[in-house]
Amino acid sequence: MKAGVMENGLVSSVDEGTPQGGPLSPLLSNLVLDELDRELERRGHRFVRYADDCNIYVRSGGAGRRVMRSVTCFITGRLKLKVNESKSAVARPAERKFLGFSISSGKEAKRRIAPKALLRCKQKIRELTRRTRGISLERMTKELASYLRGWKSYFGICETPSVLKSLDQWIRRRLRSVIWKQKKRRSSWHLANSPALSVALPNAYFDSLGLPRLSAG
């Protein structure tokens, strides 16, 4: 409770609440919001909650707005808690995300990785594979592999394997580009997708470096 929060590399104290990311926060959320779970069950709602993140599923937009108003009143009136209105909305499942996932639209709903989660993944990969880091390819691949294994253990349960396959291709193309830049050649990103460089640096080469594949193929 006294740990504070870190912003832009500086630690500042907090006057109320628990530190963001601390293990106490989800524990207290489950204790306090257990009453909300019981209320939603009593009303017959279909819902899913993890810590203070909750989705309630209804049949129409009108029903969603009514439920939003009544549940907000319950949370603020009965539980004496604040509702983050900027992060709350009535929308179709495909338009919302939950713990990094969303539901695809169409006849067959599938669990997919939310666009922002994919964007964060690519940003992290770019950071780990910056040529200006001044480290060897072996060390770069080792650090990247560690991140990808953890990422796959969480997001690998998605039901859109084509997304993982596309990400696999993008990662290996980026590494080919890094290798080509180390040789001080131009147009490395364009050449990294060429058949010649794919033959010279096949996926099996990155397998030998210990880089895991996100997709099955």
Side-chain angles (χ1 to χ4, degrees), residues 84-151:
N84 190 332
E85 296 183 1
S86 65
K87 293 185 178 180
S88 303
V90 176
R92 294 183 178 277
E95 299 170 2
R96 304 293 291 175
K97 65 180 181 67
F98 183 72
L99 303 179
F101 290 93
S102 63
I103 304 298
S104 64
S105 57
K107 295 182 179 179
E108 185 179 356
K110 293 184 177 181
R111 185 172 53 249
R112 67 175 184 176
I113 304 171
K116 286 186 178 180
L118 278 175
L119 181 60
R120 286 195 296 269
C121 176
K122 285 192 170 185
Q123 288 174 338
K124 181 63 176 181
I125 292 171
R126 288 189 181 99
E127 293 174 6
L128 292 172
T129 57
R130 285 200 318 270
R131 183 172 59 93
T132 54
R133 293 186 65 199
I135 60 176
S136 66
L137 178 65
E138 288 73 18
R139 179 181 170 185
M140 181 184 294
T141 306
K142 183 178 180 180
E143 293 179 1
L144 179 59
S146 177
Y147 170 74
L148 291 178
R149 289 192 187 96
W151 190 89

Short mmCIF file of all heavy atoms in Angstrom, two decimals, residues 84-151:
data_model
loop_
_atom_site.label_atom_id
_atom_site.label_comp_id
_atom_site.label_asym_id
_atom_site.label_seq_id
_atom_site.Cartn_x
_atom_site.Cartn_y
_atom_site.Cartn_z
N ASN A 84 -15.55 3.96 -13.81
CA ASN A 84 -14.75 4.68 -14.81
C ASN A 84 -15.57 4.81 -16.09
O ASN A 84 -15.61 3.90 -16.91
CB ASN A 84 -13.44 3.94 -15.08
CG ASN A 84 -12.47 4.77 -15.91
OD1 ASN A 84 -12.89 5.61 -16.70
ND2 ASN A 84 -11.19 4.52 -15.74
N GLU A 85 -16.23 5.96 -16.26
CA GLU A 85 -17.12 6.14 -17.39
C GLU A 85 -16.38 6.18 -18.73
O GLU A 85 -16.94 5.82 -19.77
CB GLU A 85 -17.93 7.42 -17.20
CG GLU A 85 -18.87 7.37 -15.99
CD GLU A 85 -19.71 8.62 -15.87
OE1 GLU A 85 -19.57 9.52 -16.74
OE2 GLU A 85 -20.51 8.70 -14.91
N SER A 86 -15.13 6.62 -18.71
CA SER A 86 -14.36 6.70 -19.96
C SER A 86 -14.04 5.33 -20.52
O SER A 86 -13.80 5.17 -21.72
CB SER A 86 -13.07 7.49 -19.74
OG SER A 86 -12.20 6.81 -18.83
N LYS A 87 -14.01 4.31 -19.65
CA LYS A 87 -13.70 2.95 -20.11
C LYS A 87 -14.94 2.07 -20.17
O LYS A 87 -14.84 0.89 -20.50
CB LYS A 87 -12.66 2.31 -19.18
CG LYS A 87 -11.29 2.97 -19.26
CD LYS A 87 -10.28 2.21 -18.40
CE LYS A 87 -8.90 2.83 -18.51
NZ LYS A 87 -7.91 2.09 -17.68
N SER A 88 -16.11 2.63 -19.85
CA SER A 88 -17.35 1.86 -19.85
C SER A 88 -18.18 2.23 -21.08
O SER A 88 -18.22 3.40 -21.48
CB SER A 88 -18.16 2.12 -18.57
OG SER A 88 -17.38 1.82 -17.44
N ALA A 89 -18.84 1.27 -21.67
CA ALA A 89 -19.63 1.54 -22.87
C ALA A 89 -20.62 0.42 -23.13
O ALA A 89 -20.46 -0.70 -22.63
CB ALA A 89 -18.72 1.72 -24.08
N VAL A 90 -21.63 0.74 -23.92
CA VAL A 90 -22.57 -0.25 -24.43
C VAL A 90 -22.20 -0.47 -25.90
O VAL A 90 -22.27 0.47 -26.70
CB VAL A 90 -24.03 0.23 -24.31
CG1 VAL A 90 -24.97 -0.79 -24.94
CG2 VAL A 90 -24.39 0.45 -22.84
N ALA A 91 -21.79 -1.66 -26.26
CA ALA A 91 -21.33 -1.93 -27.62
C ALA A 91 -21.40 -3.41 -27.92
O ALA A 91 -21.61 -4.23 -27.01
CB ALA A 91 -19.89 -1.43 -27.81
N ARG A 92 -21.23 -3.75 -29.18
CA ARG A 92 -21.19 -5.15 -29.58
C ARG A 92 -19.87 -5.78 -29.10
O ARG A 92 -18.86 -5.08 -28.98
CB ARG A 92 -21.29 -5.28 -31.10
CG ARG A 92 -22.65 -4.85 -31.65
CD ARG A 92 -22.72 -5.06 -33.15
NE ARG A 92 -24.02 -4.69 -33.68
CZ ARG A 92 -25.08 -5.47 -33.67
NH1 ARG A 92 -24.98 -6.70 -33.16
NH2 ARG A 92 -26.24 -5.08 -34.16
N PRO A 93 -19.87 -7.09 -28.83
CA PRO A 93 -18.65 -7.73 -28.33
C PRO A 93 -17.43 -7.52 -29.22
O PRO A 93 -16.31 -7.39 -28.72
CB PRO A 93 -19.05 -9.21 -28.27
CG PRO A 93 -20.53 -9.19 -28.07
CD PRO A 93 -21.02 -8.01 -28.85
N ALA A 94 -17.65 -7.47 -30.55
CA ALA A 94 -16.53 -7.29 -31.47
C ALA A 94 -15.88 -5.92 -31.33
O ALA A 94 -14.73 -5.72 -31.75
CB ALA A 94 -16.99 -7.50 -32.91
N GLU A 95 -16.61 -4.97 -30.75
CA GLU A 95 -16.10 -3.61 -30.62
C GLU A 95 -15.41 -3.37 -29.28
O GLU A 95 -14.88 -2.29 -29.04
CB GLU A 95 -17.25 -2.61 -30.79
CG GLU A 95 -17.93 -2.70 -32.15
CD GLU A 95 -19.20 -1.87 -32.20
OE1 GLU A 95 -19.52 -1.21 -31.19
OE2 GLU A 95 -19.87 -1.87 -33.25
N ARG A 96 -15.44 -4.35 -28.40
CA ARG A 96 -14.84 -4.20 -27.08
C ARG A 96 -13.75 -5.25 -26.88
O ARG A 96 -13.70 -6.25 -27.60
CB ARG A 96 -15.90 -4.35 -25.99
CG ARG A 96 -17.06 -3.40 -26.11
CD ARG A 96 -16.63 -1.96 -25.87
NE ARG A 96 -16.24 -1.74 -24.47
CZ ARG A 96 -15.72 -0.59 -24.03
NH1 ARG A 96 -15.49 0.40 -24.86
NH2 ARG A 96 -15.42 -0.46 -22.74
N LYS A 97 -12.89 -5.00 -25.92
CA LYS A 97 -11.85 -5.97 -25.60
C LYS A 97 -11.94 -6.35 -24.12
O LYS A 97 -12.43 -5.57 -23.30
CB LYS A 97 -10.47 -5.42 -25.91
CG LYS A 97 -10.04 -4.23 -25.06
CD LYS A 97 -8.67 -3.77 -25.45
CE LYS A 97 -8.21 -2.59 -24.59
NZ LYS A 97 -8.01 -2.97 -23.17
N PHE A 98 -11.46 -7.54 -23.81
CA PHE A 98 -11.46 -8.02 -22.43
C PHE A 98 -10.19 -8.82 -22.20
O PHE A 98 -9.98 -9.86 -22.83
CB PHE A 98 -12.69 -8.89 -22.17
CG PHE A 98 -12.82 -9.38 -20.76
CD1 PHE A 98 -13.16 -8.51 -19.73
CD2 PHE A 98 -12.58 -10.71 -20.44
CE1 PHE A 98 -13.28 -8.95 -18.42
CE2 PHE A 98 -12.70 -11.16 -19.14
CZ PHE A 98 -13.04 -10.28 -18.12
N LEU A 99 -9.32 -8.29 -21.35
CA LEU A 99 -8.05 -8.95 -21.03
C LEU A 99 -7.22 -9.23 -22.27
O LEU A 99 -6.57 -10.27 -22.39
CB LEU A 99 -8.32 -10.25 -20.26
CG LEU A 99 -9.12 -10.12 -18.97
CD1 LEU A 99 -9.33 -11.47 -18.32
CD2 LEU A 99 -8.43 -9.16 -17.99
N GLY A 100 -7.25 -8.29 -23.22
CA GLY A 100 -6.44 -8.43 -24.43
C GLY A 100 -7.11 -9.17 -25.56
O GLY A 100 -6.51 -9.34 -26.63
N PHE A 101 -8.34 -9.65 -25.34
CA PHE A 101 -9.07 -10.39 -26.38
C PHE A 101 -10.35 -9.66 -26.76
O PHE A 101 -10.86 -8.83 -26.00
CB PHE A 101 -9.42 -11.80 -25.89
CG PHE A 101 -8.25 -12.72 -25.75
CD1 PHE A 101 -7.58 -12.85 -24.54
CD2 PHE A 101 -7.81 -13.47 -26.83
CE1 PHE A 101 -6.50 -13.70 -24.40
CE2 PHE A 101 -6.72 -14.32 -26.71
CZ PHE A 101 -6.07 -14.45 -25.50
N SER A 102 -10.87 -9.99 -27.93
CA SER A 102 -12.19 -9.54 -28.34
C SER A 102 -12.86 -10.69 -29.09
O SER A 102 -12.24 -11.74 -29.32
CB SER A 102 -12.10 -8.29 -29.22
OG SER A 102 -11.42 -8.56 -30.43
N ILE A 103 -14.11 -10.49 -29.45
CA ILE A 103 -14.87 -11.52 -30.16
C ILE A 103 -15.07 -11.09 -31.60
O ILE A 103 -15.48 -9.95 -31.86
CB ILE A 103 -16.24 -11.77 -29.49
CG1 ILE A 103 -16.05 -12.13 -28.02
CG2 ILE A 103 -17.01 -12.86 -30.21
CD1 ILE A 103 -15.29 -13.39 -27.77
N SER A 104 -14.77 -11.96 -32.53
CA SER A 104 -14.92 -11.62 -33.95
C SER A 104 -16.39 -11.52 -34.32
O SER A 104 -17.24 -12.18 -33.72
CB SER A 104 -14.22 -12.66 -34.83
OG SER A 104 -14.85 -13.92 -34.67
N SER A 105 -16.69 -10.70 -35.31
CA SER A 105 -18.05 -10.59 -35.81
C SER A 105 -18.27 -11.64 -36.90
O SER A 105 -17.33 -12.21 -37.44
CB SER A 105 -18.29 -9.18 -36.36
OG SER A 105 -17.35 -8.87 -37.37
N GLY A 106 -19.50 -11.89 -37.24
CA GLY A 106 -19.81 -12.89 -38.26
C GLY A 106 -20.70 -13.99 -37.71
O GLY A 106 -21.14 -13.95 -36.56
N LYS A 107 -20.98 -14.98 -38.56
CA LYS A 107 -21.86 -16.07 -38.16
C LYS A 107 -21.29 -16.88 -37.01
O LYS A 107 -22.00 -17.32 -36.12
CB LYS A 107 -22.15 -16.97 -39.36
CG LYS A 107 -22.94 -16.28 -40.48
CD LYS A 107 -23.23 -17.25 -41.60
CE LYS A 107 -24.05 -16.58 -42.70
NZ LYS A 107 -24.32 -17.51 -43.82
N GLU A 108 -19.98 -17.14 -37.07
CA GLU A 108 -19.33 -17.95 -36.02
C GLU A 108 -18.40 -17.06 -35.19
O GLU A 108 -17.36 -16.61 -35.68
CB GLU A 108 -18.54 -19.10 -36.65
CG GLU A 108 -17.94 -20.05 -35.62
CD GLU A 108 -17.18 -21.18 -36.27
OE1 GLU A 108 -17.19 -21.27 -37.51
OE2 GLU A 108 -16.58 -21.98 -35.53
N ALA A 109 -18.79 -16.76 -33.97
CA ALA A 109 -17.98 -15.91 -33.11
C ALA A 109 -16.72 -16.64 -32.67
O ALA A 109 -16.78 -17.80 -32.25
CB ALA A 109 -18.79 -15.48 -31.89
N LYS A 110 -15.58 -15.97 -32.80
CA LYS A 110 -14.31 -16.58 -32.42
C LYS A 110 -13.54 -15.63 -31.50
O LYS A 110 -13.65 -14.41 -31.59
CB LYS A 110 -13.47 -16.89 -33.66
CG LYS A 110 -14.05 -17.98 -34.54
CD LYS A 110 -13.12 -18.30 -35.69
CE LYS A 110 -13.67 -19.44 -36.53
NZ LYS A 110 -12.76 -19.78 -37.66
N ARG A 111 -12.73 -16.23 -30.64
CA ARG A 111 -11.90 -15.46 -29.73
C ARG A 111 -10.66 -14.98 -30.50
O ARG A 111 -9.88 -15.77 -31.02
CB ARG A 111 -11.49 -16.33 -28.55
CG ARG A 111 -10.71 -15.62 -27.47
CD ARG A 111 -10.52 -16.53 -26.25
NE ARG A 111 -9.96 -17.81 -26.61
CZ ARG A 111 -10.63 -18.98 -26.55
NH1 ARG A 111 -11.89 -19.02 -26.18
NH2 ARG A 111 -10.04 -20.12 -26.88
N ARG A 112 -10.51 -13.67 -30.59
CA ARG A 112 -9.38 -13.12 -31.34
C ARG A 112 -8.57 -12.18 -30.45
O ARG A 112 -9.06 -11.69 -29.43
CB ARG A 112 -9.88 -12.36 -32.56
CG ARG A 112 -10.64 -11.10 -32.23
CD ARG A 112 -11.00 -10.30 -33.47
NE ARG A 112 -11.66 -9.04 -33.11
CZ ARG A 112 -12.02 -8.12 -34.00
NH1 ARG A 112 -11.81 -8.32 -35.27
NH2 ARG A 112 -12.60 -7.00 -33.59
N ILE A 113 -7.33 -11.91 -30.86
CA ILE A 113 -6.47 -10.99 -30.13
C ILE A 113 -6.91 -9.57 -30.46
O ILE A 113 -7.08 -9.22 -31.62
CB ILE A 113 -5.01 -11.20 -30.51
CG1 ILE A 113 -4.60 -12.67 -30.26
CG2 ILE A 113 -4.10 -10.27 -29.72
CD1 ILE A 113 -3.24 -13.02 -30.81
N ALA A 114 -7.11 -8.76 -29.44
CA ALA A 114 -7.54 -7.38 -29.66
C ALA A 114 -6.47 -6.62 -30.44
O ALA A 114 -5.26 -6.83 -30.23
CB ALA A 114 -7.82 -6.70 -28.32
N PRO A 115 -6.88 -5.71 -31.33
CA PRO A 115 -5.91 -4.95 -32.14
C PRO A 115 -4.86 -4.23 -31.31
O PRO A 115 -3.68 -4.21 -31.67
CB PRO A 115 -6.80 -3.96 -32.89
CG PRO A 115 -8.12 -4.65 -33.00
CD PRO A 115 -8.26 -5.42 -31.72
N LYS A 116 -5.25 -3.64 -30.17
CA LYS A 116 -4.28 -2.92 -29.34
C LYS A 116 -3.25 -3.87 -28.75
O LYS A 116 -2.08 -3.50 -28.56
CB LYS A 116 -5.00 -2.16 -28.23
CG LYS A 116 -5.74 -0.91 -28.72
CD LYS A 116 -6.29 -0.11 -27.57
CE LYS A 116 -6.97 1.16 -28.05
NZ LYS A 116 -7.52 1.97 -26.92
N ALA A 117 -3.68 -5.10 -28.44
CA ALA A 117 -2.73 -6.09 -27.90
C ALA A 117 -1.71 -6.48 -28.96
O ALA A 117 -0.52 -6.64 -28.66
CB ALA A 117 -3.49 -7.32 -27.41
N LEU A 118 -2.15 -6.63 -30.20
CA LEU A 118 -1.22 -6.93 -31.29
C LEU A 118 -0.27 -5.77 -31.52
O LEU A 118 0.92 -5.97 -31.77
CB LEU A 118 -2.01 -7.22 -32.58
CG LEU A 118 -2.56 -8.63 -32.75
CD1 LEU A 118 -3.42 -8.71 -34.01
CD2 LEU A 118 -1.44 -9.66 -32.81
N LEU A 119 -0.79 -4.56 -31.43
CA LEU A 119 0.05 -3.38 -31.62
C LEU A 119 1.13 -3.30 -30.55
O LEU A 119 2.30 -3.02 -30.84
CB LEU A 119 -0.82 -2.11 -31.60
CG LEU A 119 -0.09 -0.78 -31.81
CD1 LEU A 119 0.60 -0.76 -33.16
CD2 LEU A 119 -1.06 0.39 -31.68
N ARG A 120 0.75 -3.57 -29.29
CA ARG A 120 1.74 -3.56 -28.21
C ARG A 120 2.79 -4.63 -28.41
O ARG A 120 3.98 -4.42 -28.12
CB ARG A 120 1.04 -3.74 -26.86
CG ARG A 120 0.28 -2.51 -26.38
CD ARG A 120 -0.07 -2.65 -24.90
NE ARG A 120 -0.97 -3.77 -24.68
CZ ARG A 120 -2.29 -3.67 -24.69
NH1 ARG A 120 -2.87 -2.50 -24.93
NH2 ARG A 120 -3.06 -4.72 -24.46
N CYS A 121 2.37 -5.79 -28.91
CA CYS A 121 3.31 -6.87 -29.18
C CYS A 121 4.33 -6.44 -30.23
O CYS A 121 5.54 -6.64 -30.06
CB CYS A 121 2.54 -8.11 -29.65
SG CYS A 121 3.60 -9.50 -30.14
N LYS A 122 3.87 -5.84 -31.31
CA LYS A 122 4.79 -5.41 -32.36
C LYS A 122 5.72 -4.31 -31.87
O LYS A 122 6.90 -4.27 -32.23
CB LYS A 122 4.00 -4.93 -33.59
CG LYS A 122 3.39 -6.06 -34.41
CD LYS A 122 2.88 -5.57 -35.75
CE LYS A 122 2.51 -6.72 -36.66
NZ LYS A 122 2.12 -6.27 -38.01
N GLN A 123 5.20 -3.41 -31.04
CA GLN A 123 6.05 -2.36 -30.49
C GLN A 123 7.16 -2.94 -29.63
O GLN A 123 8.31 -2.49 -29.68
CB GLN A 123 5.19 -1.38 -29.68
CG GLN A 123 4.29 -0.49 -30.52
CD GLN A 123 3.34 0.36 -29.69
OE1 GLN A 123 3.04 0.04 -28.53
NE2 GLN A 123 2.86 1.44 -30.27
N LYS A 124 6.82 -3.96 -28.83
CA LYS A 124 7.81 -4.61 -27.98
C LYS A 124 8.86 -5.32 -28.83
O LYS A 124 10.06 -5.26 -28.53
CB LYS A 124 7.12 -5.61 -27.05
CG LYS A 124 8.07 -6.34 -26.10
CD LYS A 124 8.76 -5.37 -25.16
CE LYS A 124 9.62 -6.12 -24.15
NZ LYS A 124 10.29 -5.19 -23.20
N ILE A 125 8.41 -5.98 -29.91
CA ILE A 125 9.35 -6.68 -30.80
C ILE A 125 10.28 -5.68 -31.47
O ILE A 125 11.48 -5.94 -31.63
CB ILE A 125 8.57 -7.51 -31.84
CG1 ILE A 125 7.85 -8.67 -31.14
CG2 ILE A 125 9.51 -8.04 -32.92
CD1 ILE A 125 6.89 -9.42 -32.03
N ARG A 126 9.75 -4.55 -31.87
CA ARG A 126 10.60 -3.50 -32.47
C ARG A 126 11.67 -3.04 -31.48
O ARG A 126 12.82 -2.81 -31.86
CB ARG A 126 9.74 -2.32 -32.92
CG ARG A 126 8.88 -2.60 -34.15
CD ARG A 126 8.24 -1.32 -34.66
NE ARG A 126 7.41 -1.57 -35.82
CZ ARG A 126 6.09 -1.71 -35.77
NH1 ARG A 126 5.46 -1.62 -34.61
NH2 ARG A 126 5.41 -1.95 -36.88
N GLU A 127 11.28 -2.88 -30.21
CA GLU A 127 12.25 -2.47 -29.19
C GLU A 127 13.35 -3.51 -29.01
O GLU A 127 14.53 -3.18 -28.90
CB GLU A 127 11.53 -2.25 -27.86
CG GLU A 127 10.57 -1.06 -27.84
CD GLU A 127 9.80 -0.98 -26.54
OE1 GLU A 127 10.10 -1.77 -25.62
OE2 GLU A 127 8.89 -0.14 -26.44
N LEU A 128 12.94 -4.78 -28.99
CA LEU A 128 13.91 -5.85 -28.76
C LEU A 128 14.82 -6.08 -29.95
O LEU A 128 15.92 -6.62 -29.79
CB LEU A 128 13.17 -7.16 -28.43
CG LEU A 128 12.44 -7.19 -27.08
CD1 LEU A 128 11.60 -8.46 -26.97
CD2 LEU A 128 13.43 -7.12 -25.92
N THR A 129 14.39 -5.70 -31.15
CA THR A 129 15.18 -5.98 -32.36
C THR A 129 15.75 -4.72 -33.00
O THR A 129 16.08 -4.73 -34.19
CB THR A 129 14.30 -6.73 -33.40
OG1 THR A 129 13.13 -5.93 -33.70
CG2 THR A 129 13.86 -8.08 -32.87
N ARG A 130 15.87 -3.66 -32.22
CA ARG A 130 16.49 -2.44 -32.75
C ARG A 130 17.97 -2.71 -33.04
O ARG A 130 18.70 -3.20 -32.18
CB ARG A 130 16.39 -1.28 -31.76
CG ARG A 130 15.04 -0.64 -31.66
CD ARG A 130 15.17 0.76 -31.05
NE ARG A 130 16.09 0.80 -29.94
CZ ARG A 130 15.76 0.60 -28.67
NH1 ARG A 130 14.51 0.33 -28.35
NH2 ARG A 130 16.68 0.67 -27.71
N ARG A 131 18.40 -2.36 -34.23
CA ARG A 131 19.80 -2.58 -34.60
C ARG A 131 20.73 -1.72 -33.75
O ARG A 131 21.88 -2.09 -33.47
CB ARG A 131 19.99 -2.24 -36.09
CG ARG A 131 21.39 -2.49 -36.63
CD ARG A 131 21.42 -2.32 -38.13
NE ARG A 131 20.99 -0.99 -38.52
CZ ARG A 131 21.83 0.05 -38.71
NH1 ARG A 131 23.11 -0.12 -38.52
NH2 ARG A 131 21.37 1.22 -39.09
N THR A 132 20.23 -0.57 -33.29
CA THR A 132 21.07 0.37 -32.52
C THR A 132 21.31 -0.10 -31.08
O THR A 132 22.00 0.59 -30.33
CB THR A 132 20.41 1.76 -32.49
OG1 THR A 132 19.06 1.65 -32.00
CG2 THR A 132 20.38 2.37 -33.88
N ARG A 133 20.74 -1.25 -30.69
CA ARG A 133 20.98 -1.75 -29.33
C ARG A 133 22.43 -2.22 -29.17
O ARG A 133 22.93 -2.30 -28.05
CB ARG A 133 20.04 -2.92 -29.03
CG ARG A 133 18.57 -2.54 -28.94
CD ARG A 133 17.76 -3.73 -28.48
NE ARG A 133 18.10 -4.12 -27.12
CZ ARG A 133 17.83 -5.31 -26.59
NH1 ARG A 133 17.23 -6.23 -27.33
NH2 ARG A 133 18.15 -5.58 -25.35
N GLY A 134 23.08 -2.53 -30.26
CA GLY A 134 24.48 -2.90 -30.21
C GLY A 134 24.76 -4.25 -29.57
O GLY A 134 25.78 -4.41 -28.89
N ILE A 135 23.84 -5.21 -29.73
CA ILE A 135 24.05 -6.55 -29.18
C ILE A 135 24.10 -7.55 -30.32
O ILE A 135 23.69 -7.26 -31.45
CB ILE A 135 22.94 -6.93 -28.19
CG1 ILE A 135 21.57 -6.93 -28.89
CG2 ILE A 135 22.92 -5.98 -27.00
CD1 ILE A 135 20.43 -7.39 -27.99
N SER A 136 24.59 -8.75 -30.02
CA SER A 136 24.71 -9.78 -31.05
C SER A 136 23.34 -10.32 -31.44
O SER A 136 22.36 -10.18 -30.68
CB SER A 136 25.58 -10.93 -30.55
OG SER A 136 24.93 -11.60 -29.47
N LEU A 137 23.27 -10.93 -32.60
CA LEU A 137 22.02 -11.53 -33.06
C LEU A 137 21.58 -12.64 -32.12
O LEU A 137 20.38 -12.80 -31.84
CB LEU A 137 22.19 -12.08 -34.47
CG LEU A 137 20.96 -12.79 -35.08
CD1 LEU A 137 19.82 -11.80 -35.26
CD2 LEU A 137 21.31 -13.45 -36.40
N GLU A 138 22.55 -13.40 -31.58
CA GLU A 138 22.22 -14.49 -30.68
C GLU A 138 21.56 -13.98 -29.41
O GLU A 138 20.55 -14.52 -28.95
CB GLU A 138 23.49 -15.29 -30.33
CG GLU A 138 24.04 -16.14 -31.47
CD GLU A 138 24.71 -15.31 -32.56
OE1 GLU A 138 25.04 -14.12 -32.28
OE2 GLU A 138 24.89 -15.84 -33.67
N ARG A 139 22.11 -12.90 -28.84
CA ARG A 139 21.52 -12.34 -27.62
C ARG A 139 20.15 -11.72 -27.92
O ARG A 139 19.21 -11.87 -27.14
CB ARG A 139 22.45 -11.29 -27.03
CG ARG A 139 21.88 -10.66 -25.76
CD ARG A 139 22.80 -9.61 -25.19
NE ARG A 139 22.16 -8.85 -24.14
CZ ARG A 139 22.72 -7.80 -23.53
NH1 ARG A 139 23.92 -7.40 -23.88
NH2 ARG A 139 22.04 -7.16 -22.60
N MET A 140 20.05 -11.03 -29.05
CA MET A 140 18.79 -10.42 -29.44
C MET A 140 17.70 -11.48 -29.59
O MET A 140 16.57 -11.32 -29.11
CB MET A 140 18.95 -9.66 -30.76
CG MET A 140 17.69 -8.97 -31.26
SD MET A 140 17.93 -8.18 -32.88
CE MET A 140 19.12 -6.91 -32.44
N THR A 141 18.04 -12.59 -30.24
CA THR A 141 17.09 -13.67 -30.46
C THR A 141 16.69 -14.33 -29.15
O THR A 141 15.53 -14.69 -28.95
CB THR A 141 17.66 -14.71 -31.42
OG1 THR A 141 18.09 -14.07 -32.63
CG2 THR A 141 16.62 -15.76 -31.77
N LYS A 142 17.66 -14.47 -28.24
CA LYS A 142 17.37 -15.08 -26.94
C LYS A 142 16.37 -14.24 -26.16
O LYS A 142 15.42 -14.77 -25.57
CB LYS A 142 18.67 -15.25 -26.15
CG LYS A 142 18.48 -15.95 -24.81
CD LYS A 142 19.81 -16.13 -24.09
CE LYS A 142 19.62 -16.85 -22.76
NZ LYS A 142 20.93 -17.03 -22.06
N GLU A 143 16.57 -12.92 -26.14
CA GLU A 143 15.65 -12.03 -25.43
C GLU A 143 14.28 -12.02 -26.10
O GLU A 143 13.25 -12.01 -25.42
CB GLU A 143 16.23 -10.62 -25.38
CG GLU A 143 17.49 -10.50 -24.54
CD GLU A 143 18.06 -9.10 -24.55
OE1 GLU A 143 17.45 -8.21 -25.20
OE2 GLU A 143 19.11 -8.88 -23.90
N LEU A 144 14.28 -12.02 -27.43
CA LEU A 144 13.02 -12.05 -28.17
C LEU A 144 12.28 -13.35 -27.92
O LEU A 144 11.05 -13.36 -27.74
CB LEU A 144 13.30 -11.87 -29.67
CG LEU A 144 12.09 -11.90 -30.60
CD1 LEU A 144 11.10 -10.81 -30.26
CD2 LEU A 144 12.55 -11.76 -32.06
N ALA A 145 13.00 -14.46 -27.91
CA ALA A 145 12.39 -15.77 -27.68
C ALA A 145 11.73 -15.83 -26.31
O ALA A 145 10.64 -16.38 -26.15
CB ALA A 145 13.43 -16.88 -27.82
N SER A 146 12.40 -15.27 -25.29
CA SER A 146 11.83 -15.26 -23.94
C SER A 146 10.52 -14.50 -23.92
O SER A 146 9.54 -14.94 -23.31
CB SER A 146 12.83 -14.62 -22.97
OG SER A 146 12.28 -14.54 -21.67
N TYR A 147 10.48 -13.36 -24.60
CA TYR A 147 9.24 -12.57 -24.64
C TYR A 147 8.14 -13.31 -25.40
O TYR A 147 6.99 -13.36 -24.95
CB TYR A 147 9.51 -11.22 -25.31
CG TYR A 147 8.25 -10.45 -25.62
CD1 TYR A 147 7.52 -9.82 -24.60
CD2 TYR A 147 7.76 -10.36 -26.92
CE1 TYR A 147 6.35 -9.13 -24.88
CE2 TYR A 147 6.59 -9.67 -27.20
CZ TYR A 147 5.90 -9.05 -26.18
OH TYR A 147 4.74 -8.38 -26.45
N LEU A 148 8.50 -13.91 -26.54
CA LEU A 148 7.49 -14.58 -27.37
C LEU A 148 6.90 -15.81 -26.68
O LEU A 148 5.72 -16.10 -26.84
CB LEU A 148 8.10 -14.97 -28.71
CG LEU A 148 8.45 -13.82 -29.66
CD1 LEU A 148 9.10 -14.36 -30.93
CD2 LEU A 148 7.21 -13.00 -30.00
N ARG A 149 7.70 -16.53 -25.92
CA ARG A 149 7.17 -17.69 -25.21
C ARG A 149 6.12 -17.27 -24.19
O ARG A 149 5.07 -17.90 -24.05
CB ARG A 149 8.30 -18.46 -24.52
CG ARG A 149 9.23 -19.20 -25.48
CD ARG A 149 10.15 -20.15 -24.74
NE ARG A 149 11.14 -20.73 -25.65
CZ ARG A 149 12.37 -20.26 -25.81
NH1 ARG A 149 12.77 -19.23 -25.09
NH2 ARG A 149 13.20 -20.83 -26.65
N GLY A 150 6.41 -16.21 -23.45
CA GLY A 150 5.43 -15.71 -22.49
C GLY A 150 4.19 -15.18 -23.17
O GLY A 150 3.06 -15.42 -22.72
N TRP A 151 4.38 -14.46 -24.27
CA TRP A 151 3.26 -13.90 -25.02
C TRP A 151 2.38 -15.02 -25.59
O TRP A 151 1.15 -14.95 -25.50
CB TRP A 151 3.79 -13.02 -26.15
CG TRP A 151 2.74 -12.20 -26.86
CD1 TRP A 151 2.32 -10.94 -26.53
CD2 TRP A 151 1.99 -12.58 -28.02
NE1 TRP A 151 1.35 -10.51 -27.40
CE2 TRP A 151 1.13 -11.49 -28.33
CE3 TRP A 151 1.96 -13.71 -28.82
CZ2 TRP A 151 0.25 -11.52 -29.41
CZ3 TRP A 151 1.08 -13.74 -29.90
CH2 TRP A 151 0.24 -12.65 -30.18
#
